[in-house]
Amino acid sequence: MAPPQASAAQSAPPGPDGPQDPAAPPAPVLEAVGVSKRFPGVVALDDVSFTLRAGEIHALVGENGAGKSTLIKILTGVHRPDEGELRLGGEAVSFHRPHEAQQAGISTIYQEVNLVPLMSVARNIFLGREPKTRLGLVDFRRMHRETAELLGGFGITTDPRRPLHTLGIGTQQMVALARAVSVRARVVVMDEPTSSLEPREVETLFRVIGELHGRGISLVYVSHRMDELYRICDRVTVLRDGRLVHTGDLRDTDRVRLVSMMLGRELARVRKEAAEGHDDGRTPAAEPVLTATGLSRRHLLDGVALDLRPGEVLGLGGLLGSGRTETAKALAGALPLDGGDIEVGGRRLRRISSAAAIRAGISLLPEDRKAEGIIPGLSVRENIVLAALPRLSRFGFVSRRRQDRVVDIFVKRLRIKAASPEQKVGELSGGNQQKVLLARWLCLEPRVLLLDEPTRGIDVGAKAEVQTLIEELAAEGLAVLLISSELEELVEGADRIVVLRAGTVAGELTGGDVTEGALLTVLAETAPDAVPPQGGPEADAAPEPGAADVPDEAAAPGAGDVPEPPDAAAAPELRKEEDPR
Amino acid sequence: MTSFALPRGLDRPRIADALQRYGVYAAVLALLVFNGVFTDHFLTTDNLRTQLVQVAPVVIVALGMALVIGTEGVDLSVGSTMALSGALLPLYLGYGLLPALLVALLAGVVVGLVNGSLVSLVGLQPIVATLALFVGGRGLALVIADGQLKQIENTDLLSLGTDSVLGIPVVVLIAGVLAAMVAGLVQRTTFGRQLVAVGGNRKAAALAGLPVRRVLIGVYVICGVLAALAGVLATARLTASDPSSLGNLMELSAITAVVVGGTPLTGGSVRVLGTVFGALLMQLLHATLVTHDLHDSTAQMVQAGIILVAVYVARERRAR
């Protein structure tokens, strides 16, 4: 989220107060020795060794399909290795199920928090080991007290009686972490924990990670975000195509080298190509293909207006909760509006629905790939042709031959890696799933393509491919709307950026102004004046008032970088927006 | 997950996968072989004919049920729909078979429209939405028929239940043709593919511009019409319209056939041939146990066991 601050934080990895003891003997806590795992048709891991030392934060990186997930699943008892062994504290162990790994002190925090949303915070933390009164009933008073103490230890003050789902995802993750700690975990495995967090929540997470580090707990940290890795991790293991590529201190490995190890190719060239691609000037047409005015929806959008020209990439900037996703959904007819007009090619859309928008040539690549995009049980082929079915049919019957032709074209063009078009889409890596979804929309030959976080959660290689593809599509005359939380991606990809705040257009950057600095300035300008009127009175409604002190603490090691103020200051406002839903 | 060592490539999920895919066929085959060896007069044309005739209405209802379950729904009202169409038949038989048949099928359409609208427009859970007509449909049927059993004397209708073409009973032929049509619908048509997509991920289907509501209503209408047709055929075979008992527990037989046939209750997949064999399996199993002098209640318990296996297998497969 905030790339520039990483360089400053790099020097002090675990946080200010975490007792660092570099002198301590690096005894291994958890080891995988010569582990191999095969699945039908693929070798997921090939003779991989992994050593987690006591008290270290170990980054595990690799492209999608490199074998990270498989390795994690082996470490946490979900899978058993075909060859090789696991050692815990030097002794060979064999977990038959995840529960056994947990009992041995290995806790896992997944991307999607796996707790019980309707139960209270306290019940979640004590799930399965509730304290009992003498009568054998659950001792709620003790449970609540201990929960409050435990969370307080992490600087989280939230009511232990609150149902978990009423908290923000970030706080839920803290609860998951607290639970991991309270079951006396020795090892905590975190699989892309920050992918759905707001910047401020990330700060809190890092503080808690520092806390765990201080208690001598070892962490395995999986993330695609370089900044985070360099900020908090001690060592790194790189996997590629199921093989171990590198293990070593992160400090001795610079970013370019790390990324090129992950990719297995020269990074410099990728970067250069991308930069050149961006610079060779496309000339967007003068007439907009899409014009939206006054898009409004209670609590979400308040009169958003924008236009999109063929051949341009329009970036949609803004912090989380500013209405970016809602704007895209509104344009695609997927969000019922209270008011507003959408014109495509000079024609006003009368009934706004997904089907109408698609007919008018607007396609939306949704933010949540799993929930709103893929149909996991269907094949790659069926997922690609889904929206185009009526066009591939005659008298209601679908032509298999026409399907195959379309699928063949897009599998090749987007380089979708699947065993065959008949493979289930749920079995593909995130990057390939995203390409399948892109193919679904491209085979409709849209005029306007709305991309909501098209590169989130996909590996570096696929990311570069998708970014290049966006450039190509725009060059072919498509109008592209790009939403991204990564400033860099937005600035590099977009010709023009419209910045949203609280559901309205807060500013627009064009031409030479499309820079990270300018974007930050707009974000920073707009944020503060929104906070005071809204922030104060309902402090108890905010999920974690305790986290309000984050900026001060975080500012210490970060030495007050430029991007810090907007993120931190805007956060309370964003939270408020999210809460009522 | 595996608690014992198995050769590579033969772990439990894969076995479960194969079981869910081919288990029904193997089980039907095994039953036939068993009966060929141990049961006298089982593999005779007469007996097999009887079995097929008896299973035909279940197959027809189960076909509709499979479609509904493919959209992650369920239709509890099929038995009542049968009763409703059975009750309407004698009222219109005076005009001839065709008008009476059309009225009966129209009742199925109406039931389907109500169910489908409750599910897709109102947004009720399918199990609750169809519960309304499960209760109300039979009540309405009893009101229409005045609570009475009515003898059928229309020879055209009766011949539907008794005639054969080339030695195959008409009822069986109809079930077979319908099975082929439904299979074609699922595999080949836009509607069928959209149905499966809606069942697999409704949100994604809606965002992809699929006519989700239309698909859902269509599915319940098809299910209603098939149930109404089954009601007509069952009435023809019974030679009487009996709204108080016609189609009783049919919803459960149909769901059983679908589940045993390997269609997951979570939607996103419809197995038509499996459903047909699921119905066959339950029918043959029942016949086998009864001919071996086991009591009806024993047969029911064995059937329950099979359902549990089917559901367990489906769960195990998903756990992958």
Side-chain angles (χ1 to χ4, degrees), chain A residues 309 312-315 317 490-491 494-499 505-523 525:
Chain A
R309 275 164 288 197
E312 79 168 342
V313 178
L314 172 65
L490 205 56
V491 166
D495 306 310
R496 190 158 67 91
I497 297 179
V498 167
V499 183
V505 175
E508 183 176 336
L509 306 173
T510 51
D513 288 344
V514 183
T515 62
E516 285 187 37
L519 183 53
L520 279 170
T521 315
V522 178
L523 292 173
E525 262 174 17

Side-chain angles (χ1 to χ4, degrees), chain A residues 309-329:
Chain A
R309 275 164 288 197
E312 79 168 342
V313 178
L314 172 65
L316 197 54
L319 300 167
L320 203 72
S322 58
R324 295 172 309 182
T325 294
E326 289 76 9
T327 301
K329 281 207 165 151

Side-chain angles (χ1 to χ4, degrees), chain B residues 286 289-290 293-303:
Chain B
H286 189 257
L289 294 170
V290 169
D293 287 336
L294 285 165
H295 198 265
D296 209 36
S297 46
T298 320
Q300 284 169 354
M301 285 190 279
V302 174
Q303 288 180 332

Side-chain angles (χ1 to χ4, degrees), chain A residues 432-445:
Chain A
N432 280 306
Q433 287 180 355
Q434 194 70 300
K435 289 184 193 171
V436 166
L437 288 179
L438 266 170
R440 178 189 291 172
W441 295 117
L442 292 179
C443 72
L444 293 176
E445 295 170 348

Side-chain angles (χ1 to χ4, degrees), chain A residues 167-175 196-197 201 205 544 575:
Chain A
L167 305 178
I169 294 186
T171 319
Q172 291 189 27
Q173 231 160 27
M174 302 308 153
V175 173
S196 47
L197 297 191
E201 291 176 325
L205 177 73
E544 24 158 308
R575 281 208 161 284

Side-chain angles (χ1 to χ4, degrees), chain A residues 239-258:
Chain A
L239 297 181
R240 189 174 71 232
D241 299 332
R243 294 206 186 80
L244 178 70
V245 177
H246 172 82
T247 293
D249 282 353
L250 197 55
R251 243 164 298 167
D252 305 337
T253 319
D254 71 38
R255 286 183 185 221
V256 177
R257 195 167 147 241
L258 188 60

Side-chain angles (χ1 to χ4, degrees), chain A residues 38 40 78 80 82-83 96-97 329 334 354-355 358 364 366 370-376 378 382 386-387 389-390 393 396-398 424 427 440-441, chain B residues 1-5 8-9 14 17 21 184-185 187-191 193-194 196-201 203-210 268 317 320:
Chain A
R38 291 175 199 84
V78 178
R80 292 173 71 194
D82 293 334
E83 282 154 33
H96 294 275
R97 54 193 70 219
K329 281 207 165 151
S354 291
I358 289 168
L364 166 69
K370 283 215 174 77
E372 305 186 318
I374 61 163
I375 298 179
L378 294 187
E382 298 205 87
L386 183 68
L389 274 177
S393 309
F397 286 87
V398 192
K424 285 189 179 170
E427 296 169 2
R440 178 189 291 172
W441 295 117
Chain B
M1 209 135 295
T2 338
S3 52
F4 51 94
R8 186 175 302 145
R14 294 195 108 209
D17 190 68
R21 243 171 242 233
L185 180 83
Q187 291 306 323
R188 293 295 184 73
T189 66
T190 323
F191 177 81
R193 299 327 292 162
Q194 289 179 339
V196 174
V198 168
N201 185 344
K203 235 174 165 182
L207 276 177
L210 266 54
R317 185 184 170 205
R320 191 144 49 146

